[in-house]
Amino acid sequence: MRLALAALAAAGCASFEDPSLVIDLRVVGMTMTPAPERVIDVDLRGDQPPTVDDVLAQLQQQPAPRVCASVADPATARDLRYSMHACLLDDDERCDPARPQILLADGEILYDPEVWIGDAEPACAEVPVDGNFVGLLYDALMAAPESAIVGVDFAVQLRIGRVDEHPANDVFGTKRGRVAARIPEMRRPNQNPQIVELQVSVNDVAIFNSSHRPCAQPFGELAEVRGGDRVTLYPVEADGTRETFYSPTLDGEFVEVTEYIEYQWLAVRGSFSDETTGGPPDLLGNESLLGTDWTAPTGLGGVTDVPIWVVARDARYGVTIWETCIRVIP
Amino acid sequence: MRLAYVAILTIALAVGATSVLAQPTGTVTKPPRPLQVMAPDYPPAALAAGKEAKVKVRLHIDATGAVTKVDVLEKVGDGFDEAAVAAAMQYIFEPAEIDGKPAAIAVETAINFTIDKTPEPDPPPPPKPPPGAPPEDAGPPNHAGSMKLPVTIQGEAVERGTRRKLAGVIVSVVELGLDAVTGNDGTFYFHGIAPGKYKLLAIDPKFDRFERPIELSKREAVEVRLWMRPRGGNPYETVVEGEREVLEVTRRTLQRQQLTSVPGTFGDPIRVIQTLPGIQRAPFGLGVLLVRGSNPDDTGIYVDGHEVPSLFHFLGGPSIFNAEMLESIDLYPGGFPGRFGRKHGGVVALELRPTKSDGIHGSAKVDFLDSGGYLRAPITKDLSIAFAGRRSYVDAFLGFVLPDPGPGSQRIVTPVYYDYAARLDYNLKEHGRLSLFTIGSGDSLHVLDQEADSNTSTDLSTAVRFFRLIGTYARPLGGDLKLTLSPAYGRDTLTFSGAQAEAAGPFTSVGIVNNTLSYRMRVHGRASKLLTLDTGIDVLSRVTRYEALVPVDDNLIEDNGVDIPPSLVFRGTALLGAGAYLDLGIDATQRLKLIPSLRLDSYLIEGQDRYTIDPRFVARYGYTKTVTLKGYVGEFSQPPQPEAVDTRFGNPNVGPEKSTQFGLGLEWKPNRLWFLDSEIYYVRRRDLVVFTNALVENEDGTFSNVNFLNEGRRDSYGLEIIIKREISERAFGWLSYTFSRARQRNHPTQDFAPTGFDQPHVLNAVASYKPGRGFELGARFQLASGRPDTPVIGATYDADTGNYDPVRGPFRSTRVPTYRSIDIRVEKVWLYNTWSLGLYLDVINVANFENVEAIEYDYRYRESAPVTSFPILPTLGLRGTW
């Protein structure tokens, strides 16, 4: 015991950076539209798996998945290069180099990267629904036969780095998608979470309902606070965001589950009382709090616009990124 | 009349017959005096040929009285020289003194080998005393003088501090040359001593020489008590063990003095075994036993043959067992006898000490973190009882040790541990001994951590408890055989719950309860001149019950991204095991001992039968009087852990794990003080139960998780050396070194990788010295290779969770830095006639080395920092014994 206590006293003293503060090049979030889980009416389990043409025809009846990444680099605006691949992930959660990959987009971003890649670039990172994509799914299915029931996962990997830096310093992010057979019968594709607005209160006084409004975007209302103010942020979800869905189990049955939404809060300055909110209810069924308090930074040299992101995630890979901008007056 | 040849060994070792060689400096004020003289073995060929010899030798005796070297001055051949040297190395002397101080010296003497060819007469009929003859004059050894005369001086020899009656002490009336040897009750009697002034002298090699003047008046009888001071200080720390039959190849036993005064162990006897070869260093000073690359669960801990779940309180706490309750602690790092089963790692065997009806004795210990005590008392002459207990109050002091949680935040950590034990002994005399022993232990840890700028908080509670009740009936069976019957009941409980501090209930919890019934029957002892026997059966019934509040429904596979509210799960598994074993010790020749062994185990696990057959074979060969070669090969098996055979979360089809162990070793005991034991070993463990994510397709086309399979394999090999200096008057210590490699793969297609506890080099040096006046100084140096680690070479942002996943380099391809520590201990014992008081200071890591136990990373694995082990840590304690 005494040894452990001494160790306790010595350990845990490392001081690392705050994960809720974006201080340098970082992927804030990645989304896929339509929502990542798509359902096709084929039986992947049979002795005679459906042909590529069957699967392709089913998939092509739906919009192609489009992946967008939000990347921030508050330290400096600089030239970045990036690439996006559709692939299957290895144990390190990166594209498995030994398995099929599809290049979706690559190029350079020659301006402030605090924008959506894809929205701002002519080369949209869209996953082409073709034979290559179906081949990717088949490869995944062969490696994990149980995915015939649960769903076949694929991923889109973003790799981004400074043009003048060694590729070893590149930043990686991945976003999963899933193609599932309609098992059980009532299975339906999911929807990405939807945030209607962000309610903003300063020192418990409601002042503002923010729409999606990046700092880099000159349009829209801007909340103004003073350094040290406690800013309460509360996401307002759209009706139906919390979907009820049916998930198959390995024994051939299914369970009915209602989604919860989890929120991750990020900023370039200040501090959050909770870096994540939402999530599953507690044992008694009480919903978790959704909002968080952000303490505005002090000691700024002048008026500073601070971007704040909230990334909403559901239980089936659905992601929405919402950004607001708060002006801090010293 | 029967004719026999009898070897007469004449040893001229009286001081007057030796010649003391000149020393470089100083004057010999007291020559060495022989205390123990071993008869040499008469060379068989010379005896058969009727040859006799006189071997002149020079003995080099150190300041403790041990013979360190023997020179043969004139070789006579025929094996006499070697026999004389081997015997002389076993001699023990009362040390010589030069200028009044004990010192090393060399003496020359002769060892005579003669054969008495006188025909041995038939035993005469018992003499019939002639009518009217006076009664026999001589009395028992504790009487001196003419028994016809009244006792004029009587008394008893008593150990100072403990009041223990001392048998075998020579008590002399110096002026008269009368000697008596104290009896088992410590008493002595002198008859018919005339009035006058005398000096009583009491001598025992384990105690300081004791002199006391007495004056005897006319018609007076004097009664005296001789308080004998143990040599080297604290009398409570010396236990002399009798010879035990060797039925294993490697057993490392420590005497209690070594167990309670090793620096860095806080006087904790069981923790000392972690300094022996074959044991890897446990991180953070935790009490787990890592034997030859095995997992902690692979090593069995037995109390009088019954398994207990742990030796130590958790988080590196003290051992659960009070040292006063223990007779011995044996470590078997491998090749253990069939008496121990259901484990394929090592064995730690604790033998309990019977209580005695020799008065009220006890001890108490206090330090900053806990207090404990022991009390032993007689109820009747044959019935005695002992109690022990300890309770921590560490929670009261924790606030001074833990890091400041910051303004407005709170961190409450309340660890509490306690243990208790009681033993009742009933001496049935020739019918044996009956005992009842119970022990219980509890650990709980409650952690509440709440940050000021956050509404998140953590509230964790953990509790571990176990209880054992062991009954033992032991009796002689005739000859040297002994029968032991021992039933036991045990209950182990582990609970864990986690919650947010403000929540109405936990988000997760686990409760595990093990109920164990066991029974052992053992017959052991020497069956004949050439055969030693140890055989018996042991039966085990274990029912494990789980209660878990699981946050994620187990029907859903791990990666489908679905979470649902926690659900309560109740599970249970049952194991019934029956084992039988036979260990035979066959003295094939005077030098060669063969120990074949067989253990059979059958199991009923979740309704399915299993059985294992474990043959083992050990051989020991006395190459010379001082060198013994040894080797073993054997099979060992172990049933799967309860969770692995659960019908829902485990795989009821998994079978026992197995290992094959090989070892070759050498023991060298050049004299009484020094001992070297070395061994190379190879252990191949197979059919290890390992966790797997693999799915199997059922007959109906559905899939299910098997979770556990017998697919693991672990190979370990190594070299272990210990050089030990046994306890002498002033010093003891040992140097142990272990080289070991342990590699494992969890699937046949995987490559082998180092196990998590693989440590190629472990060095422990322990030394203790008593400069006198009740002081004891000790130091320990530890050096151990760092544990394997898997480097992190990058990270990937997972957009679906918001977390970063590490990109790892080759599995366990690096190691954390080498561990170093110097620990010291200073103890002062004040010895009074009826009790003693000890004050000790134990300082761990006195050099304040920064030892890295692990590496922690920031949220995106860009920055890293070492997780260090304990810094310099002094502990002051007080203990009293009476």
Side-chain angles (χ1 to χ4, degrees):
Chain A
M1 179 71 71
R2 60 206 86 196
L3 301 186
L5 296 179
L8 204 58
C13 296
S15 178
F16 293 125
E17 62 184 69
D18 184 347
S20 67
L21 294 184
V22 180
I23 59 173
D24 53 16
L25 180 64
R26 183 165 161 187
V27 181
V28 173
M30 293 174 73
T31 63
M32 181 180 288
T33 51
E37 187 179 68
R38 51 205 58 225
V39 176
I40 56 176
D41 289 309
V42 294
D43 189 352
L44 300 173
R45 297 175 299 172
D47 294 334
Q48 295 294 323
T51 65
V52 172
D53 289 342
D54 291 341
V55 174
L56 188 57
Q58 288 270 337
L59 288 172
Q60 285 180 335
Q61 291 173 12
Q62 305 172 30
R66 184 167 182 245
V67 175
C68 298
S70 179
V71 179
D73 187 359
T76 177
R78 52 195 172 192
D79 298 346
L80 301 171
R81 55 180 158 67
Y82 78 99
S83 65
M84 296 175 82
H85 286 82
C87 62
L88 304 174
L89 299 180
D90 61 13
D91 291 340
D92 292 327
E93 301 293 314
R94 286 190 181 172
C95 283
D96 189 338
R99 302 173 76 180
Q101 296 187 32
I102 303 168
L103 177 63
L104 305 180
D106 64 352
E108 293 185 358
I109 304 169
L110 305 177
Y111 47 85
D112 189 337
E114 290 179 37
V115 294
W116 291 67
I117 296 174
D119 278 345
E121 283 290 301
C124 184
E126 185 175 280
V127 181
V129 180
D130 56 15
N132 289 335
F133 179 62
V134 176
L136 198 73
L137 300 178
Y138 266 74
D139 192 90
L141 182 62
M142 293 302 108
E146 72 275 11
S147 60
I149 299 173
V150 179
V152 180
D153 282 2
F154 66 98
V156 173
Q157 174 184 282
L158 167 70
R159 176 174 184 162
I160 189 166
R162 279 178 57 173
V163 169
D164 56 352
E165 268 198 3
H166 192 278
N169 296 325
D170 287 354
V171 171
F172 289 78
T174 56
K175 177 78 193 79
R176 283 183 183 79
R178 173 174 289 174
V179 175
R182 198 175 297 281
I183 306 169
E185 284 295 320
M186 55 282 273
R187 189 172 199 161
R188 296 288 178 271
N190 73 327
Q191 304 293 321
N192 282 324
Q194 294 180 58
I195 298 175
V196 177
E197 61 184 15
L198 197 65
Q199 294 179 347
V200 181
S201 306
V202 178
N203 299 329
D204 296 328
V205 178
I207 61 162
F208 186 63
N209 288 347
S210 169
S211 59
H212 178 69
R213 199 298 198 188
C215 286
Q217 196 178 74
F219 312 107
E221 201 176 355
L222 207 59
E224 291 185 356
V225 301
R226 295 200 170 273
D229 278 351
R230 181 168 54 85
V231 180
T232 301
L233 304 166
Y234 188 88
V236 179
E237 299 171 354
D239 290 341
T241 282
R242 298 178 180 234
E243 301 172 85
T244 295
F245 65 96
Y246 302 92
S247 182
T249 59
L250 294 174
D251 56 7
E253 300 297 319
F254 63 89
V255 291
E256 181 182 309
V257 182
T258 298
E259 285 181 335
Y260 58 83
I261 308 295
E262 188 172 84
Y263 297 91
Q264 181 184 16
W265 301 89
L266 300 159
V268 296
R269 289 188 179 86
S271 63
F272 290 99
S273 61
D274 293 289
E275 297 158 10
T276 59
T277 58
D282 66 18
L283 182 65
L284 301 179
N286 299 314
E287 295 295 334
S288 304
L289 293 176
L290 303 185
T292 188
D293 287 342
W294 176 71
T295 303
T298 55
L300 298 174
V303 175
T304 305
D305 290 348
V306 178
I308 292 177
W309 295 271
V310 53
V311 183
R313 296 184 174 88
D314 68 15
R316 291 185 289 170
Y317 301 161
V319 178
T320 292
I321 305 172
W322 186 279
E323 183 177 352
T324 191
C325 188
I326 294 182
R327 178 160 292 165
V328 181
I329 301 168
Chain B
M1 180 173 286
R2 184 164 58 90
L3 188 68
Y5 288 95
V6 180
I8 305 296
L9 309 171
T10 308
I11 304 157
L13 269 177
V15 172
T18 58
S19 57
V20 177
L21 302 183
Q23 300 301 310
T25 57
T27 303
V28 178
T29 51
K30 181 180 157 190
R33 190 171 73 86
L35 298 174
Q36 172 185 301
V37 177
M38 302 293 290
D41 290 338
Y42 210 108
L47 180 62
K51 292 184 178 178
E52 298 179 334
K54 178 179 184 179
V55 182
K56 293 184 178 177
V57 294
R58 178 182 298 129
L59 310 180
H60 298 264
I61 303 166
D62 69 10
T64 68
V67 176
T68 57
K69 186 182 173 190
V70 178
D71 301 325
V72 177
L73 301 177
E74 295 172 13
K75 291 187 182 296
V76 296
D78 291 326
F80 288 114
D81 302 329
E82 293 79 5
V85 170
M89 289 298 290
Q90 308 297 316
Y91 292 179
I92 300 172
F93 288 83
E94 185 177 314
E97 291 183 1
I98 297 176
D99 293 336
K101 294 180 179 175
I105 200 168
V107 299
E108 290 181 1
T109 187
I111 299 176
N112 295 320
F113 295 78
T114 60
I115 301 173
D116 183 359
K117 298 187 176 69
T118 307
E120 187 180 356
D122 288 333
K128 293 178 182 175
E136 182 57 47
D137 204 22
N142 61 338
H143 288 254
S146 173
M147 291 289 284
K148 292 184 291 187
L149 300 174
V151 172
T152 46
I153 301 175
Q154 65 174 329
E156 59 181 1
V158 183
E159 186 177 49
R160 195 171 182 194
T162 68
R163 294 167 285 130
R164 184 166 61 95
K165 309 287 194 299
L166 299 175
V169 177
I170 301 170
V171 182
S172 302
V173 180
V174 175
E175 289 78 1
L176 304 177
L178 274 177
D179 291 344
V181 180
T182 57
N184 287 336
D185 57 356
T187 57
F188 61 88
Y189 304 90
F190 290 98
H191 297 255
I193 307 294
K197 291 183 177 179
Y198 300 98
K199 187 161 69 178
L200 277 186
L201 175 64
I203 297 174
D204 186 291
K206 296 187 293 297
F207 294 85
D208 287 347
R209 181 186 173 97
F210 184 90
E211 288 183 5
R212 176 173 173 175
I214 59 171
E215 186 168 354
L216 202 61
S217 307
K218 272 187 178 179
R219 290 186 294 278
E220 184 189 41
V222 173
E223 186 167 347
V224 295
R225 178 176 274 190
L226 308 180
W227 295 99
M228 305 286 287
R229 176 192 288 271
R231 293 199 168 181
N234 194 338
Y236 300 93
E237 297 174 342
T238 302
V239 169
V240 179
E241 295 187 350
E243 282 293 318
R244 287 188 281 178
E245 292 293 348
V246 176
L247 282 180
E248 61 283 319
V249 68
T250 299
R251 179 186 66 203
R252 293 177 180 137
T253 303
L254 292 170
Q255 294 182 352
R256 190 174 305 170
Q257 180 174 10
Q258 294 163 325
L259 298 176
T260 56
S261 56
V262 173
T265 64
F266 307 104
D268 197 328
I270 300 177
R271 197 168 276 284
V272 179
I273 61 177
Q274 292 179 315
T275 67
L276 295 179
I279 304 287
Q280 268 80 43
R281 190 188 70 83
F284 291 112
L286 297 177
V288 294
L289 290 173
L290 308 171
V291 179
R292 290 186 176 175
S294 62
N295 289 334
D297 288 342
D298 300 340
T299 295
I301 303 162
Y302 298 89
V303 176
D304 276 355
H306 297 280
E307 191 175 358
V308 295
S310 59
L311 279 175
F312 303 101
H313 290 289
F314 68 0
L315 295 179
S319 66
I320 290 164
F321 297 87
N322 188 299
E324 302 282 356
M325 290 280 190
L326 299 179
E327 181 72 35
S328 66
I329 305 168
D330 293 330
L331 167 69
Y332 303 87
F336 46 84
R339 178 159 57 100
F340 302 106
R342 306 189 185 104
K343 293 291 175 187
H344 60 58
V347 162
V348 175
L350 277 60
E351 296 293 329
L352 298 172
R353 184 159 64 147
T355 62
K356 292 179 182 174
S357 294
D358 63 347
I360 298 175
H361 295 271
S363 64
K365 171 177 167 285
V366 179
D367 68 20
F368 290 138
L369 303 179
D370 65 40
S371 291
Y374 167 83
L375 185 66
R376 184 178 83 210
I379 298 174
T380 68
K381 186 181 174 189
D382 296 315
L383 185 65
S384 55
I385 194 165
F387 301 95
R390 166 177 26 214
R391 172 66 158 80
S392 74
Y393 31 76
V394 59
D395 42 318
F397 297 96
L398 210 53
F400 302 106
V401 180
L402 291 178
D404 186 356
S409 301
Q410 62 171 332
R411 178 178 296 128
I412 301 171
V413 181
T414 52
V416 173
Y417 58 86
Y418 65 86
D419 55 67
Y420 59 87
R423 180 175 174 120
L424 188 69
D425 272 276
Y426 186 42
N427 187 354
L428 301 171
K429 299 189 176 70
E430 68 273 19
H431 299 296
R433 175 177 285 272
L434 195 62
S435 71
L436 194 63
F437 175 74
T438 183
I439 185 164
S441 163
D443 295 81
S444 64
L445 177 66
H446 181 212
V447 179
L448 174 66
D449 202 339
Q450 188 160 22
E451 300 297 330
D453 57 352
S454 165
N455 64 12
T456 59
S457 58
T458 307
D459 189 352
L460 304 174
S461 287
T462 305
V464 182
R465 288 185 291 275
F466 87 82
F467 165 78
R468 286 291 182 279
L469 180 64
I470 300 174
T472 304
Y473 170 61
R475 63 161 299 158
L477 278 183
D480 192 33
L481 290 176
K482 185 176 167 187
L483 168 71
T484 306
L485 306 175
S486 180
Y489 166 72
R491 182 179 173 89
D492 314 327
T493 307
L494 184 150
T495 58
F496 168 79
S497 71
Q500 291 193 332
E502 307 297 330
F507 56 76
T508 185
S509 69
V510 175
I512 302 174
V513 178
N514 261 323
N515 278 295
T516 306
L517 274 174
S518 54
Y519 173 75
R520 294 185 70 97
M521 185 191 78
R522 181 185 183 198
V523 175
H524 73 287
R526 183 159 281 278
S528 72
K529 189 178 177 185
L530 299 179
L531 183 67
T532 306
L533 175 74
D534 193 342
T535 185
I537 60 170
D538 72 275
V539 181
L540 170 72
S541 166
R542 183 181 67 203
V543 177
T544 306
R545 189 162 52 84
Y546 299 89
E547 180 183 312
L549 182 68
V550 288
V552 180
D553 188 276
D554 59 284
N555 279 319
L556 303 174
I557 70 165
E558 191 181 23
D559 293 328
N560 73 348
V562 175
D563 286 321
I564 64 171
S567 57
L568 266 174
V569 176
F570 298 93
R571 303 295 302 165
T573 62
L575 178 147
L576 179 64
Y581 69 91
L582 175 64
D583 295 318
L584 294 176
I586 304 168
D587 294 304
T589 69
Q590 277 195 327
R591 294 182 167 188
L592 179 64
K593 185 161 194 166
L594 304 175
I595 308 160
S597 174
L598 182 66
R599 182 174 176 98
L600 308 174
D601 278 291
S602 67
Y603 303 98
L604 188 63
I605 304 172
E606 286 299 297
Q608 295 197 39
D609 292 331
R610 304 274 191 283
Y611 68 90
T612 55
I613 301 173
D614 293 338
R616 301 166 193 175
F617 183 76
V618 175
R620 296 176 61 89
Y621 177 70
Y623 183 67
T624 67
K625 274 279 187 186
T626 59
V627 176
T628 301
L629 306 177
K630 57 188 183 180
Y632 64 90
V633 58
E635 283 288 310
F636 301 80
S637 56
Q638 176 175 314
Q641 296 295 316
E643 65 274 13
V645 296
D646 183 87
T647 52
R648 184 171 175 186
F649 297 103
N651 179 3
N653 296 316
V654 294
E657 300 178 338
K658 295 169 185 166
S659 77
T660 306
Q661 303 190 5
F662 307 87
L664 282 175
L666 178 147
E667 293 173 1
W668 181 44
K669 191 172 176 58
N671 56 42
R672 186 181 64 88
L673 285 179
W674 292 94
F675 177 63
L676 181 147
D677 183 5
S678 65
E679 185 176 327
I680 56 173
Y681 69 88
Y682 172 67
V683 182
R684 181 174 181 164
R685 296 180 176 88
R686 59 194 188 281
D687 297 339
L688 300 182
V689 177
V690 291
F691 183 78
T692 177
N693 284 321
L695 293 173
V696 294
E697 187 171 1
N698 303 315
E699 290 181 357
D700 60 359
T702 60
F703 290 85
S704 58
N705 291 94
V706 291
N707 291 333
F708 295 95
L709 287 172
N710 282 103
E711 288 194 333
R713 194 180 126 185
R714 189 185 314 133
D715 292 348
S716 55
Y717 58 89
L719 164 70
E720 297 164 359
I721 299 175
I722 181 168
I723 301 170
K724 188 172 160 190
R725 189 189 194 281
E726 301 288 0
I727 298 173
S728 67
E729 186 176 340
R730 293 190 181 275
F732 75 86
W734 61 86
L735 178 71
S736 74
Y737 169 71
T738 302
F739 167 76
S740 75
R741 299 305 303 263
R743 302 170 71 79
Q744 179 166 339
R745 69 179 186 203
N746 285 350
H747 190 274
T749 60
Q750 284 183 343
D751 293 330
F752 279 95
T755 64
F757 295 111
D758 178 51
Q759 292 169 37
H761 306 282
V762 179
L763 177 74
N764 279 283
V766 174
S768 184
Y769 179 70
K770 294 177 179 173
R773 296 179 176 271
F775 280 99
E776 180 167 9
L777 312 174
R780 177 176 70 164
F781 174 63
Q782 282 185 293
L783 190 73
S785 304
R787 289 183 301 108
D789 191 35
T790 302
V792 175
I793 58 177
T796 307
Y797 171 75
D798 183 346
D800 297 309
T801 64
N803 300 322
Y804 285 77
D805 296 311
V807 176
R808 299 189 184 277
F811 185 58
R812 290 177 182 161
S813 58
T814 62
R815 290 182 181 277
V816 298
T818 300
Y819 177 91
R820 306 153 296 159
S821 179
I822 299 173
D823 312 324
I824 62 167
R825 180 184 174 89
V826 180
E827 178 163 11
K828 163 72 176 169
V829 175
W830 289 272
L831 195 58
Y832 307 99
N833 280 349
T834 57
W835 70 294
S836 74
L837 180 67
L839 176 69
Y840 64 87
L841 174 68
D842 210 325
V843 186
I844 283 193
N845 194 11
V846 69
N848 203 23
F849 291 125
E850 184 179 281
N851 288 305
V852 179
E853 297 283 15
I855 306 292
E856 62 174 333
Y857 295 89
D858 74 328
Y859 71 100
R860 53 179 171 172
Y861 298 92
R862 282 190 173 184
E863 298 175 17
S864 64
V867 179
T868 56
S869 187
F870 36 86
I872 182 170
L873 178 63
T875 299
L876 194 63
L878 199 62
R879 61 176 171 179
T881 314
W882 65 94

